[in-house]
Structures are given as structure tokens and as C-alpha cells.
Amino acid sequence: MEASRGEDPTDSERRQGRKRKAPAADAPKTDPPRFQREIRSMMYGFGDSSRPAAESVRLMEEMMLEYVHLLLQQAHSACEERQRATRHRGGADVKLKEQDLLFVLRKDSRRHRRAQEILEVYQEQKELTQERPEYARDDL
């Protein structure tokens, strides 16, 4: 319910009998949920209940984001090393490539194989869209 012009939102909340919660001073700043719907579905697919606890989903999202962040940091370091080894002097721009990510995943055979499969499918789709005749592209 919106407050009318010139009226303090807390006044309208008091009239409606709602109490406004003050934010805790020591409350951690939380990022908005990004992947909770997908994680909830994945948890259900792996045997959790159809409605897992919100805290469990939030924790899984946090762990997943930390893992991806760490993985990308390692891939970025590998990219910098690769460019240093080839003495590429193209400036400060360091572009992360698929090979950098695969290099980081090389010791985890299952994830490495899955990443290669995904990249192959991506490449096939890319080639198929390039091979389509012009009249078929206009339909999209």
C-alpha cells in the first residue's frame, strides 16, 4: 500500500497496524538472489524435497558463486601466464579463452570432459546457424 503525497510511509503503516522493522546494524549485506529458482530445481532433481528450505537454497547459491568466482580467478591467472609465456604485448587487455578454463579443469576429469562437451555443442550450433540460408534467418 502506497502512502499518499506528503505523508510519511511510516504513518500509513501505523494506521494500517503494521510495524516497520528496523534493519539490524550488524546485518550482513546480502546480494539479491540470482540462481535460487534453478538451484531449487536442481536440489529437487538430486533428491531433496520439492520445496527445500530457503536457507539451504541460499547456502547452495553462495557456495556455487564462490566456486565459480574461484574458478574464474584461476582461469584468469592461467590466461595471464599464457600471454606472458607467448610474450603477447597487446596491452593490458587480458582476454579469457576456453582453453584457460579447460586448463584449470584439467585435473578434474569429469568436469573437464563435461566442459569439452558443452563447448563442442556450442561450436556445432554456431556452425549450423552460419550454414543456414538467408531466407531462414529472417524468420527469427
Side-chain angles (χ1 to χ4, degrees), residues 19-47:
K19 292 183 179 178
R20 187 174 187 181
K21 292 183 181 178
D26 61 342
K29 183 180 177 186
T30 58
D31 291 329
R34 298 178 195 169
F35 303 105
Q36 288 190 5
R37 188 178 74 224
E38 293 84 0
I39 290 173
R40 192 174 290 118
S41 297
M42 289 173 65
M43 289 173 71
Y44 178 64
F46 283 105

Side-chain angles (χ1 to χ4, degrees), residues 9-118:
T10 54
D11 291 338
S12 66
E13 288 175 357
R14 267 190 230 114
R15 273 190 283 111
Q16 295 169 3
R18 290 186 282 166
K19 292 183 179 178
R20 187 174 187 181
K21 292 183 181 178
D26 61 342
K29 183 180 177 186
T30 58
D31 291 329
R34 298 178 195 169
F35 303 105
Q36 288 190 5
R37 188 178 74 224
E38 293 84 0
I39 290 173
R40 192 174 290 118
S41 297
M42 289 173 65
M43 289 173 71
Y44 178 64
F46 283 105
D48 205 335
S49 70
S50 60
R51 292 181 170 228
E55 185 65 21
S56 297
V57 175
R58 190 196 59 72
L59 180 63
M60 289 295 292
E61 180 183 38
E62 183 180 318
M63 291 169 50
M64 184 265 313
L65 289 173
E66 284 178 16
Y67 173 75
V68 170
H69 186 80
L70 177 66
L71 191 68
L72 290 174
Q73 281 180 336
Q74 291 172 347
H76 187 267
S77 296
C79 177
E80 288 176 334
E81 287 295 321
R82 176 180 48 81
Q83 288 189 349
R84 210 174 295 136
T86 59
R87 292 189 171 84
H88 185 270
R89 299 191 188 271
D93 291 342
V94 177
K95 290 194 176 185
L96 199 62
K97 295 185 177 181
E98 297 93 2
Q99 66 186 17
D100 300 316
L101 188 59
L102 291 173
F103 179 78
V104 173
L105 293 173
R106 73 191 183 282
K107 293 181 182 177
D108 188 344
S109 61
R110 192 180 82 213
R111 287 188 178 124
H112 186 267
R113 188 173 46 251
R114 180 67 178 140
Q116 284 180 319
E117 289 173 6
I118 291 170

